[in-house]
Amino acid sequence: MALLQISEPGQSTAPHQHRLAAGIDLGTTNSLVASVRSGVAETLPDAQGRHLLPSVVRYHAGSDPVVGTAALAAAVDDPLNTIASVKRLMGRGVDDVRHIGDRLPYEFVDGSSGMPLLRTAGGDVSPVEVSAEILRSLKERAEQTLGGELAGVVITVPAYFDDAQRQATRDAGRLAGLNVLRLLNEPTAAAVAYGLDQASEGVIAIYDLGGGTFDISILRLNKGVFEVMSTAGNTGLGGDDMDRAVAHWIMGQAGIHAGAGHGQLRQLMQVARAAKEALTTQARVSIKVHRDDGSRWAGELTRAEFDELIGALVEKTLGPCRRALRDAGIRASEVQTVVMVGGSTRVPLVRARVADFFKAEPMVDIDPDKVVAVGAAIQADILVGNKPDDEMLLLDVIPLSLGLETMGGLTEKIIPRNTTIPTARAQEFTTFKDGQTAMSLHVVQGERELVDDCRSLARFELHDIPPMVAGAARIRVTFQVDADGLLNVTAEELTQGVKSGIEIKPSYGLSDHEIETMLRDSMAHATDDRDARRLREEQVEADRVLEALHSALAADGDRLLAADERAAIDAAAATLAARRNGSDYRAIRQAIETVEQASSAYVERRMNNSIRAAMAGHSVDEFKT
Amino acid sequence: MMAEDSSPTHFELFGLPQAFSIDRRQLDSRFRELQRKFHPDRYANAGDIERRLSAQQASRINEGYQILKDPLRRGRYLLELAGIVHDDEHRTTRDTGFLMEQMEMREELAGVRAADNALAALGGILDRISRDIDALVAELDGLFANGDAASLQAAGEAIMKLQFFRRLQDEAVELEVTLEDELA
């Protein structure tokens, strides 16, 4: 079978050409890239055969930043310019970072968008830019290994990431020049990696303890559909905290004071991590550290002592497990399979406590470091169009409730947590002053009653409300959460049917304008490359649009279109076909947009038809039985 | 040319008869079937318009599924389809026996922390709430099956009671999670 699927050279322009896709696990400590090659999803190693890329970026004055192992090696000597664990800062505000930052040895400066910047020898950089460097490095690795440009990627995020953290991740992908097909929740990705191997059905719990985050998700798997029932977690809990607990213990034993230098602290963290890793297989480990004054300390840590140091941390993961079970409406005994994800699940105490809690031996067949990237690669391969007949579908949920600020600093929930996405809710508002033409909505995310206890996502300023007497306007605001878990808001005044202009002020994010500027800056030195690439992209897109349009028109164009509508579409398509062979990517883009506009009513009719057909097909089935 | 007809009801969308009693397995399998067709992931390579439309359809399918699988929301939706405006969020029942029982259960819930074995006491309350909810759902089954004006009126009353029990259940579950976290 497989032999027949290998395409002949020279057939590359065929419409079902294999497109290169990758799954990226952008982790707190390590990142990975995986791809489906010859039907097998596997992580891609670098030239030295290393699969894990340390999520560390070192900045230099006047030269490009260094990412990965080389950067990690410099962390002890050059801590201020070497950024690690940047995932913890994604989508966070200046105040949050002050809280997280007392444990991170960096210099922070206030950025313009409520987003903190890190001061480095290479200039002030945002967490989004640091993440983009990591993504760029993985993109290069994938493109070299696979021998071509990536058509699209799936990037994983903790299920518990809020809107701002997701948006920041998407922005980083865009900055790295990636076509992000989807943000996929890490536990769901892990389930995909296991599910396809074993075609299991039933309820699965995915326990994901990474370097800096903890997630628990409860999924129902049925005939290729992965339906997330609930998710819970803690974005500030992970293996790093175990390292820190061990480092504290060493400091106490070795008499190292809390105000030790950055280099000393980094060294302690590395020694602590090595000790933790050794204790997954050994009952005791010997530890040596150099003090700042040049003296040495040597000691021993047993697994029993280690278990005691991390016991409270492990217990803290069980609270979210209980909550996720409640939200899913099931008991621990109904969970058939427990999947372990994240390097920290190698710790024996973690495995023992999880087995005890769910009364099931957790699955560890796939390397817990790689399982997320592997699942993401499988999803990317499907989304990019390489497996048109695949039945797999992932239905995720929104992890935290979305709400609006109301009078007195209270929140009103619009979309409750664990609602399946995509989802949309509309709510009506009115004006409270005569002639009022603008209003402001404050959207927050979280479960608490008070606005101050939730995360502020954005303020939406509505303009162009037609002036009327107080209370007469009916403004319908629609909150749409897409399949990535990202919020989009639109507003309309119903009595006069006027669309309101919306200005979004993200609380901790980059505006579109800022991203455009960064993109321009990062590509300034490569204009020619960029133009050539844009042209190729637009040509591929033009071919896709024309191909899809022609096959649609052949199927039902005569039935669904009036003569004048058909003529408009044909004219737009002819223009696009002519421009496609030119060299002006802007002209091609414009022609694509014209085709899409001309055919928008047609596309909508086809979609409605398709819904009706789906319903009708069903009634026929019912009639038969 | 085709005429734009009004959008289908959730029951029509899921190919189910418009009734309170539903075939849960058919609802579930129909949900998966529809999402397989319309989920945005099926349109990852399509144009902007198709992607937007598929997100709208998928949202509608999700919304319909949530409403139909939940007896409380399904009951409210059926009353709405029957043209009965039913504001159970802001109305209250005149069934004094029911109100007394609610008050007693609330007091019991408030006193749970003081009990010798708080979790066991709470478990007892949760079991009772579940039984009461099951009884109300069975009652709604009969009332919607009758379908006459008086039965629908009574269904409105039962839905209101169901709403009371749901709130109580939410609070009890919340308390259970808190207690378990404290004991861990």
Side-chain angles (χ1 to χ4, degrees):
Chain A
M1 263 313 278
L3 279 177
L4 293 173
Q5 289 167 10
I6 296 170
S7 59
E8 298 287 326
Q11 285 190 339
S12 56
T13 52
H16 295 300
Q17 166 200 7
H18 184 87
R19 301 170 78 205
L20 298 179
I24 294 177
D25 174 1
L26 184 60
T28 309
T29 317
N30 292 299
S31 297
L32 292 106
V33 60
S35 190
V36 176
R37 293 195 286 175
S38 313
V40 180
E42 53 193 5
T43 52
L44 307 176
D46 66 7
Q48 282 75 43
R50 295 173 297 212
H51 291 254
L52 297 176
L53 176 77
S55 302
V56 182
V57 182
R58 184 186 185 193
Y59 287 87
H60 304 267
S63 67
D64 285 344
V66 173
V67 182
T69 313
L72 180 63
V76 173
D77 300 328
D78 188 18
L80 288 181
N81 297 312
T82 310
I83 315 299
S85 296
V86 71
K87 188 171 180 178
R88 289 191 173 212
L89 306 176
M90 293 290 272
R92 294 298 183 179
V94 177
D95 289 341
D96 302 317
V97 166
R98 223 158 261 145
H99 176 69
I100 311 168
D102 61 0
R103 302 188 311 208
L104 294 171
Y106 311 123
E107 273 183 41
F108 292 100
V109 284
D110 291 5
S112 58
S113 349
M115 194 193 241
L117 299 177
L118 296 127
R119 177 143 288 170
T120 76
D124 295 345
V125 291
S126 68
V128 170
E129 289 167 283
V130 179
S131 297
E133 290 299 340
I134 299 166
L135 290 172
R136 219 170 267 141
S137 171
L138 292 170
K139 173 176 185 266
E140 274 168 29
R141 181 194 292 189
E143 292 186 340
Q144 271 164 20
T145 314
L146 302 173
E149 278 176 24
L150 289 176
V153 298
V154 167
I155 302 178
T156 59
V157 290
Y160 216 55
F161 254 22
D162 64 29
D163 182 90
Q165 292 167 306
R166 283 166 197 268
Q167 190 62 59
T169 306
R170 226 182 201 289
D171 290 345
R174 203 170 139 198
L175 260 186
L178 291 165
N179 174 26
V180 183
L181 298 164
R182 175 88 126 88
L183 295 181
L184 181 60
N185 288 336
E186 287 161 10
T188 315
V192 169
Y194 272 101
L196 289 191
D197 270 8
Q198 308 177 0
S200 50
E201 303 231 325
V203 179
I204 315 172
I206 292 133
Y207 180 101
D208 179 356
L209 188 59
T213 55
F214 169 67
D215 272 2
I216 176 78
S217 288
I218 311 290
L219 276 83
R220 189 194 302 280
L221 177 54
N222 192 316
K223 299 189 177 76
V225 176
F226 293 73
E227 188 188 347
V228 179
M229 299 164 79
S230 65
T231 186
N234 185 335
T235 48
L237 183 65
D240 292 358
D241 297 295
M242 296 184 187
D243 301 347
R244 208 164 285 117
V246 174
H248 263 278
W249 178 83
I250 298 173
M251 286 168 79
Q253 299 288 312
I256 297 169
H257 56 91
H262 285 319
Q264 170 91 77
L265 294 177
R266 274 292 172 91
Q267 183 215 354
L268 273 171
M269 286 297 280
Q270 286 184 4
V271 169
R273 171 182 309 246
K276 172 187 76 178
E277 287 171 5
L279 287 174
T280 61
T281 50
Q282 297 163 213
R284 53 187 65 235
V285 62
S286 52
I287 299 173
K288 292 189 191 69
V289 287
H290 303 264
R291 297 194 187 90
D292 271 347
D293 63 10
S295 63
R296 288 174 174 216
W297 174 84
E300 193 185 62
L301 180 65
T302 65
R303 179 170 311 155
E305 287 168 323
F306 173 68
D307 286 353
E308 196 145 310
L309 289 174
I310 62 163
L313 280 169
V314 178
E315 289 307 315
K316 255 172 104 173
T317 65
L318 299 181
C321 291
R322 278 188 280 272
R323 179 163 296 279
L325 287 172
R326 292 282 175 241
D327 282 357
I330 59 161
R331 305 192 168 275
S333 56
E334 290 173 68
V335 173
Q336 279 127 330
T337 312
V338 182
V339 168
M340 299 296 254
V341 187
S344 305
T345 60
R346 290 202 178 87
V347 172
L349 180 69
V350 172
R351 289 190 181 174
R353 287 299 288 130
V354 171
D356 183 51
F357 182 84
F358 287 105
K359 304 278 180 281
E361 208 48 48
M363 294 185 56
V364 291
D365 308 4
I366 305 181
D367 183 339
D369 282 325
K370 294 178 179 170
V371 62
V372 166
V374 165
I378 292 168
Q379 165 83 334
D381 192 46
I382 293 171
L383 291 185
V384 88
N386 288 337
K387 290 181 128 185
D389 299 326
D390 200 285
E391 291 279 273
M392 187 181 90
L393 187 64
L394 311 182
L395 301 173
D396 259 314
V397 297
I398 177 170
L400 299 158
S401 303
L402 281 174
L404 279 178
E405 174 169 356
T406 60
M407 296 287 203
L410 295 175
T411 56
E412 184 188 329
K413 284 194 181 137
I414 322 163
I415 301 178
R417 73 165 184 270
N418 292 324
T419 298
T420 310
I421 49 177
T423 189
R425 284 297 140 84
Q427 195 140 338
E428 276 186 33
F429 298 89
T430 189
T431 47
F432 62 95
K433 273 190 200 150
D434 289 346
Q436 185 180 342
T437 59
M439 65 191 298
S440 163
L441 297 173
H442 183 201
V443 179
V444 297
Q445 195 160 19
E447 309 310 318
R448 307 280 295 276
E449 294 281 313
L450 293 177
V451 164
D452 288 349
D453 295 332
C454 293
R455 289 195 64 72
S456 170
L457 286 187
R459 287 173 197 277
F460 296 87
E461 307 276 345
L462 308 186
H463 303 288
D464 315 324
I465 300 170
M468 286 181 239
V469 293
R474 284 174 57 212
I475 301 137
R476 184 216 282 276
V477 179
T478 305
F479 302 86
Q480 166 91 44
V481 179
D482 68 15
D484 288 336
L486 292 173
L487 173 69
N488 211 319
V489 178
T490 50
E492 187 179 10
E493 203 291 306
L494 295 175
T495 61
Q496 303 194 10
V498 182
K499 285 257 182 230
S500 306
I502 295 194
E503 193 188 328
I504 306 165
K505 290 182 181 154
S507 303
Y508 312 108
L510 298 167
S511 65
D512 270 3
H513 177 71
E514 285 171 298
I515 291 182
E516 285 297 330
T517 310
M518 284 181 188
L519 269 176
R520 260 203 309 280
D521 291 351
S522 70
M523 291 188 184
H525 55 283
T527 312
D528 292 347
D529 281 4
R530 185 191 57 189
D531 286 358
R533 187 184 167 143
R534 278 296 290 275
L535 178 61
R536 252 193 333 275
E537 283 171 359
E538 297 297 2
Q539 283 175 335
V540 168
E541 179 69 1
D543 291 344
R544 190 197 60 72
V545 167
L546 288 172
E547 153 103 21
L549 183 63
H550 287 143
S551 68
L553 287 172
D556 54 23
D558 296 339
R559 199 154 48 83
L560 297 181
L561 287 168
D564 58 331
E565 291 173 321
R566 177 63 185 261
I569 292 176
D570 285 345
T575 307
L576 177 57
R579 286 193 193 167
R580 183 247 175 258
N581 296 319
S583 58
D584 184 352
Y585 71 83
R586 287 186 191 84
I588 302 176
R589 165 81 344 221
Q590 204 183 27
I592 290 173
E593 278 164 18
T594 310
V595 168
E596 287 190 338
Q597 250 159 30
S599 56
S600 70
Y602 173 49
V603 170
E604 193 153 355
R605 259 172 239 159
R606 296 194 92 222
M607 183 71 84
N608 286 337
N609 240 16
S610 172
I611 280 267
R612 261 187 290 262
M615 285 174 4
H618 187 75
S619 333
V620 172
D621 287 348
E622 268 212 313
F623 190 67
K624 277 189 258 176
T625 53
Chain B
M1 291 300 304
M2 26 184 316
E4 294 295 324
D5 51 11
S6 62
S7 62
T9 67
H10 295 311
F11 288 104
E12 285 167 346
L13 183 63
F14 284 84
L16 292 164
Q18 187 172 318
F20 184 76
S21 160
I22 56 157
D23 180 344
R24 179 60 197 264
R25 282 180 59 181
Q26 195 185 339
L27 176 69
D28 289 352
S29 90
R30 188 73 182 134
F31 170 67
R32 289 190 294 266
E33 193 184 318
L34 285 170
Q35 284 296 15
R36 269 212 192 95
K37 266 196 184 95
F38 297 104
H39 192 275
D41 280 358
R42 295 287 180 207
Y43 297 83
N45 290 299
D48 288 347
I49 298 165
E50 282 159 286
R51 283 218 301 271
R52 186 172 47 76
L53 288 171
S54 95
Q56 276 173 13
Q57 295 299 355
S59 300
R60 231 178 96 208
I61 295 161
N62 279 333
E63 171 83 0
Y65 184 54
Q66 297 305 322
I67 289 176
L68 294 190
K69 77 176 176 181
D70 174 8
L72 179 62
R73 296 185 69 185
R74 187 167 70 237
R76 276 195 203 132
Y77 181 60
L78 277 168
L79 288 183
E80 196 184 299
L81 289 178
I84 298 171
V85 181
H86 181 72
D87 186 7
D88 56 82
E89 302 267 350
H90 301 105
R91 257 179 50 188
T92 183
T93 177
R94 261 176 268 155
D95 182 339
T96 45
F98 173 78
L99 288 174
M100 289 292 287
E101 192 198 349
Q102 281 285 314
M103 262 165 59
E104 277 166 24
M105 286 182 90
R106 274 185 189 281
E107 276 170 22
E108 226 177 295
L109 192 60
V112 139
R113 273 180 178 280
D116 286 342
N117 187 343
L119 273 179
L122 190 55
I125 297 179
L126 276 165
D127 285 346
R128 241 169 62 210
I129 297 174
S130 296
R131 276 199 302 274
D132 287 335
I133 286 179
D134 288 349
L136 277 170
V137 169
E139 187 187 334
L140 280 167
D141 248 333
L143 291 169
F144 276 111
N146 289 342
D148 56 281
S151 295
L152 291 183
Q153 198 63 39
E157 179 84 9
I159 285 172
M160 204 152 48
K161 290 178 181 171
L162 192 53
Q163 170 75 38
F164 268 114
F165 277 116
R166 274 295 174 76
R167 288 210 184 111
L168 196 62
Q169 192 178 35
D170 285 348
E171 284 168 37
V173 163
E174 201 59 35
L175 182 59
E176 191 178 27
V177 173
T178 311
L179 283 177
E180 281 175 341
D181 283 354
E182 285 172 10
L183 292 175

